[in-house]
């Protein structure tokens, strides 16, 4: 936080700012001291803000043409695709935008895991982030139901049925969620309402996420506490704004590639068949961003325990600041953690792959091993590693290893290496 | 708070909180209950089905309360197979007689008890049904034999109105 008093230059500005200090806020945001060694993995916060705004704007436009009724939803989506001016473009941006949003959020989350951004004093930022991630999954799931295709319908059936695993009240909860005895029109209309609401809840949480970030300030690739403002920081504007802007442009190229060249590659062909409550598609798979959790669900042969395992896999992340016992934040100075980190990345990718495959034979075996390892990482490896690992010496400041005077040059080299990743 | 004596003010606080809680509850309940099945959904609670065209070995699927109901006229081999299973081999032990009043006719909800997909007819390791979603196998009586589903496929309330018509619900 820039603590010095800010006074607007113009008299009007001063008059206004005395009554509502918006200019003070704007000044705080532009001057906000940022660690000067932030690498490109730190640009995904800005990219995610862009994704959220994109989804809200395109979603708003789609809602002007979409009809949330079981008899008309499917046709109204086709109407958007064929009749509405640029409807195809807006819908493809919205549909692929969801995937881009998750791509960016996974990079953002794994960046935090590598550099220990979830550790004290940033636990609240992290937990708000996990809540945002949960809401994103809810919004994505309900949005996928709206076109009322086969995957929409059966995805909705399978996911809402997860609640039936709850003993005693489960069936009652599922009927309540459906507003009937199966997924039908009442389910569709309420999903549309909630799908419209959730992005604004996320927007509110994003404000809290950034507010909580601006209290301790950004973590950085070296993971040490820094004095702000100091030689180790640069003002957010223009330095970080330009860097974030450049990264956003690169990201938009990838985004545009999907929208214009392969707009349906991340979807399922079955969803272009209208919902039929009598026929389940031969192979039900969720969208790619939910596959690792789907694999965990299917790897447990018991219904209730499968649901418990899947939900635990998500909620365990909220406990991460306390499961990781190491005092050192950045993996740059944790040689063992760094290896386990990459094993975890591989493990999650493997879970995602087997989640897309049929749950049988070798795939099932791999899914079980990978699920066991996932929990092992968080519940055993991380807590033990904090006590056992011999960490490398950390520099006293970001500038120190660059300007020399460091007892060893290793940290500087490590930092260089991390920059090139 | 050295004195623990109840006075008029404590009583007023408690009474206010109590009335407030009842008021909040009475306001929230309609907001929650509006999501439960409405009168028009409940009104569709029963369906009559003509089964005169169903020959042995054939299954028809009808929609009841938005869910598929399988009506299968079983062959003698299927009935024999269903009856020969030992109860201790079953995950959710249930006699075939308790599931099919008339052994020839099996009427059950075509909904997998795992996560609600529609199982495929005449598939799986037990010649009954197989759920493509997560691999549950059901036998010729619709009982769960293998896979993640916890219970047998549900038997709805039904009756023969006459020899050709089944009323479900």
């Amino acid at each position: 936080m820039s603590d010095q008093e800010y006074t607007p230059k113009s008299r009007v500005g001063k008059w206004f700012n005395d009554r509502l200090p918006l200019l003070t806020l704007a000044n705080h945001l532009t001057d906000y001291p940022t660690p000067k060694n932030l690498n490109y993995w730190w640009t995904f916060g800005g990219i995610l803000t862009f994704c959220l705004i994109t989804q809200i704007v395109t979603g708003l436009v789609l809602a002007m043409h979409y009809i949330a009724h079981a008899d008309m939803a499917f046709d109204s989506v086709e109407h958007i695709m064929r009749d509405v001016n640029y409807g195809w473009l807006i819908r493809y941006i919205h549909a692929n935008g969801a995937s881009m949003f998750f791509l960016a959020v996974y990079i953002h989350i794994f960046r935090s895991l590598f550099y220990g951004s979830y550790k004290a004093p940033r636990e609240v930022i992290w937990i708000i982030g996990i809540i945002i991630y949960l809401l994103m999954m809810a919004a994505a799931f309900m949005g996928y139901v709206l076109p009322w295709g086969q995957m929409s319908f059966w995805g909705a059936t399978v996911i809402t049925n997860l609640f039936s695993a709850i003993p005693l009240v489960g069936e009652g909860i599922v009927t309540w969620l459906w507003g009937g005895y199966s997924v039908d029109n009442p389910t569709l209309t309420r999903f549309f309402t909630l799908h419209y609401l959730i992005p604004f809840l996320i927007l509110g949480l994003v404000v809290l996420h950034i507010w909580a970030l601006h209290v301790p300030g950004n973590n950085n690739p070296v993971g040490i506490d820094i004095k702000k403002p100091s030689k180790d920081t640069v003002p957010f504007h223009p330095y970080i704004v330009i860097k974030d802007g450049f990264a956003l442009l690169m990201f938009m190229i990838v985004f545009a590639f999907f929208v214009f060249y392969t707009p349906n590659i991340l979807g399922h062909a079955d969803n272009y068949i209208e919902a039929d409550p009598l026929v389940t598609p031969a192979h039900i798979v969720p969208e790619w961003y939910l596959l690792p959790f789907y694999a965990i669900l299917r790897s447990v042969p018991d219904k209730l325990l499968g649901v418990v395992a899947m939900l635990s896999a998500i909620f365990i992340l909220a406990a991460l600041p306390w499961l990781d016992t190491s005092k050192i934040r950045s993996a740059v100075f944790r040689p063992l953690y760094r290896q386990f980190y990459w094993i975890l990345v591989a493990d999650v990718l493997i879970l995602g792959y087997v989640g897309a495959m049929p749950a049988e034979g070798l795939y099932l075996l791999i899914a079980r091993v990978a699920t066991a390892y996932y929990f092992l990482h968080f519940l055993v490896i991380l807590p033990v590693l904090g006590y056992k690992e011999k960490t490398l010496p950390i520099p006293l400041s970001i500038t120190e290893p660059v300007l020399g005077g460091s007892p060893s040059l290793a940290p500087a080299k490590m930092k260089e290496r991390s920059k090139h990743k | 708070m050295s004195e623990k004596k109840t006075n008029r003010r404590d009583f007023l606080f408690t009474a206010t909180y109590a009335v407030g809680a009842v008021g909040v509850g009475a306001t929230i309940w309609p907001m929650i209950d509006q999501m439960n099945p409405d009168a028009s959904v409940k009104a569709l609670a029963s369906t009559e089905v003509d089964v005169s065209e169903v020959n042995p070995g054939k299954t028809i699927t009808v929609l009841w309360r938005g869910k598929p109901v399988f009506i299968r006229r079983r062959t003698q081999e299927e009935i024999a197979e269903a009856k020969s299973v030992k109860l201790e081999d079953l995950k959710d032990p249930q006699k075939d007689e308790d599931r099919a009043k008339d052994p020839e006719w099996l009427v059950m909800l075509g909904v997998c008890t795992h996560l609600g997909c529609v199982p495929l007819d005449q598939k799986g390791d037990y010649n009954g049904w197989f759920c493509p979603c997560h691999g549950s196998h059901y036998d010729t009586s619709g009982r769960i034999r293998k896979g993640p589903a916890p219970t047998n496929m549900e038997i709805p309330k039904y009756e023969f109105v006459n020899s050709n018509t089944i009323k479900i619900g």
Side-chain angles (χ1 to χ4, degrees):
Chain A
M1 294 232 162
S2 53
D3 293 325
Q4 72 271 38
E5 276 300 311
Y6 167 76
T7 325
K9 287 193 182 72
S10 72
R11 277 185 63 197
V12 180
K14 193 177 178 310
W15 178 89
F16 183 82
N17 204 49
D18 286 345
R19 281 149 185 83
L20 179 65
L22 272 186
L23 294 171
T24 303
L25 178 65
N27 175 257
H28 161 74
L29 292 176
T30 52
D31 282 3
Y32 172 65
T34 320
K36 65 182 180 185
N37 60 339
L38 295 190
N39 56 33
Y40 275 106
W41 300 113
W42 258 265
T43 59
F44 282 86
I47 287 170
L48 283 161
T49 313
F50 165 80
C51 288
L52 179 62
I53 302 296
T54 305
Q55 291 306 87
I56 288 178
V57 172
T58 52
L60 204 68
V61 173
L62 289 172
M64 292 179 187
H65 304 279
Y66 170 78
I67 301 166
H69 189 283
D71 296 336
M72 289 177 269
F74 187 82
D75 290 342
S76 76
V77 171
E78 282 310 299
H79 161 73
I80 289 169
M81 293 301 288
R82 291 153 195 256
D83 303 339
V84 175
N85 300 331
Y86 294 106
W88 59 272
L89 177 64
I90 294 155
R91 175 164 176 263
Y92 277 154
I93 291 174
H94 196 73
N96 286 285
S99 283
M100 293 301 115
F101 207 156
F102 276 95
L103 175 68
V105 93
Y106 282 129
I107 296 174
H108 194 62
I109 290 171
F110 274 100
R111 187 269 296 163
S112 291
L113 292 181
F114 189 84
Y115 294 110
S117 301
Y118 49 85
K119 290 186 200 186
R122 297 184 180 82
E123 302 96 318
V124 173
I125 312 174
W126 172 255
I127 288 170
I128 292 171
I130 296 297
I131 298 170
I132 292 173
Y133 174 51
L134 277 173
L135 285 175
M136 277 175 63
M137 289 198 277
F141 158 65
M142 292 197 224
Y144 196 59
V145 173
L146 302 184
W148 212 239
Q150 273 289 66
M151 277 293 172
S152 302
F153 185 91
W154 291 103
T157 300
V158 167
I159 300 296
T160 48
N161 261 308
L162 292 178
F163 291 91
S164 72
I166 304 168
L168 302 175
V169 291
E171 294 295 334
I173 290 176
V174 173
T175 305
W176 178 73
L177 287 173
W178 288 340
Y181 304 104
S182 63
V183 173
D184 210 333
N185 193 51
T187 325
L188 176 61
T189 49
R190 68 191 53 177
F191 275 20
F192 179 57
T193 310
L194 294 174
H195 181 71
Y196 208 126
L197 168 72
I198 289 173
F200 296 98
L201 297 181
I202 294 178
L203 190 63
L205 285 167
V206 166
V207 171
L208 292 183
H209 195 62
I210 296 172
W211 185 2
L213 168 71
H214 280 227
V215 176
N218 289 68
N219 184 27
N220 64 77
V222 183
I224 54 167
D225 290 321
I226 50 167
K227 273 213 207 84
K228 303 171 297 271
S230 72
K231 271 199 300 188
D232 280 347
T233 66
V234 289
F236 187 78
H237 183 75
Y239 297 95
I240 304 296
V241 170
I242 293 296
K243 188 163 185 159
D244 277 1
F246 178 69
L248 179 61
L249 274 176
M250 293 298 116
F251 184 79
M252 283 162 82
I253 292 173
V254 178
F255 197 145
F257 172 80
F258 280 104
V259 169
F260 291 105
Y261 290 93
T262 61
N264 287 305
I265 197 169
L266 298 169
H268 299 288
D270 277 304
N271 222 29
Y272 283 101
I273 304 168
E274 193 169 1
D276 180 353
L278 293 180
V279 183
T280 306
H283 190 45
I284 289 198
V285 228
E287 293 282 78
W288 69 267
Y289 39 80
L290 301 175
L291 285 173
F293 300 110
Y294 193 62
I296 291 174
L297 168 76
R298 297 194 305 181
S299 70
V300 183
D302 181 83
K303 179 172 169 178
L304 177 61
L305 292 180
V307 175
V308 168
M310 184 184 71
L311 294 177
S312 310
I314 303 169
F315 286 111
I316 205 169
L317 293 171
L320 185 57
W322 296 275
L323 288 172
D324 185 347
T325 50
S326 174
K327 294 273 182 291
I328 306 296
R329 290 196 193 101
S330 175
V332 171
F333 304 104
R334 300 184 61 189
L336 279 177
Y337 172 72
R338 198 160 60 225
Q339 292 171 31
F340 284 114
Y341 170 85
W342 289 111
I343 296 173
L344 180 74
V345 172
D347 187 61
V348 171
L349 291 175
I350 289 168
L351 278 172
Y353 174 72
V354 292
M357 294 294 134
E360 56 198 27
L362 188 60
Y363 293 127
L364 191 58
L365 181 70
I366 294 172
R368 286 183 176 157
V369 173
T371 298
Y373 183 80
Y374 182 90
F375 286 104
L376 191 75
H377 176 90
F378 289 107
L379 293 175
V380 180
I381 295 174
L382 282 189
V384 172
L385 210 54
Y387 296 108
K388 298 281 177 200
E389 186 177 33
K390 196 171 171 343
T391 56
L392 303 173
I394 54 167
L396 295 170
S397 75
I398 291 171
T399 342
E400 185 204 49
V402 182
L403 297 180
S406 166
S408 119
L409 282 172
K413 281 181 188 154
M414 291 290 183
K415 203 188 73 177
E416 278 307 302
R417 201 187 300 164
S418 77
K419 266 185 178 170
H420 292 301
K421 256 199 306 284
Chain B
M1 294 294 276
S2 52
E3 280 179 71
K4 286 270 166 88
K5 233 179 85 184
T6 312
N7 54 32
R8 282 164 60 88
R9 180 154 293 190
D10 290 332
F11 171 76
L12 281 173
F13 275 139
T14 310
T16 311
Y17 290 143
V19 172
V22 170
V24 169
T27 315
I28 286 176
W29 178 244
M31 296 296 162
I32 293 172
D33 192 43
Q34 54 83 22
M35 281 174 68
N36 272 317
D38 61 33
S40 73
V41 171
K42 284 181 181 159
L44 301 171
S46 79
T47 309
E48 289 197 4
V49 189
D50 177 15
V51 292
S52 55
E53 303 284 308
V54 183
N55 297 317
K58 196 184 162 195
T59 307
I60 58 166
T61 308
V62 296
L63 208 57
W64 173 66
R65 287 176 157 188
K67 281 179 178 166
V69 173
F70 294 151
I71 301 177
R72 179 164 181 84
R73 191 164 181 182
R74 298 190 293 182
T75 60
Q76 290 308 316
E77 300 86 77
E78 286 171 354
I79 298 169
E81 199 179 327
K83 286 192 189 298
S84 68
V85 177
K86 289 199 204 98
L87 280 188
E88 53 266 33
D89 292 344
L90 296 172
K91 193 173 178 181
D92 178 15
Q94 215 178 5
K95 281 190 204 146
D96 188 54
E97 295 91 285
D98 298 336
R99 294 179 56 81
K101 289 176 222 167
D102 174 352
E104 210 179 4
W105 293 96
L106 180 64
V107 179
M108 66 181 177
L109 282 186
V111 175
C112 180
T113 55
H114 183 225
L115 294 173
C117 296
V118 180
L120 303 169
D121 199 4
Q122 300 291 289
K123 289 260 168 67
D125 297 352
Y126 297 88
N127 302 319
W129 285 266
F130 171 71
C131 183
C133 293
H134 307 98
S136 292
H137 299 256
Y138 296 88
D139 65 13
T140 55
S141 187
R143 293 173 296 199
I144 179 66
R145 301 300 291 274
K146 197 172 124 185
T151 56
N152 304 331
M153 279 194 268
E154 203 184 318
I155 305 290
K157 219 176 88 183
Y158 69 92
E159 58 185 12
F160 278 88
V161 181
N162 55 53
S163 59
N164 283 334
T165 314
I166 297 178
K167 184 183 168 202
I168 305 166

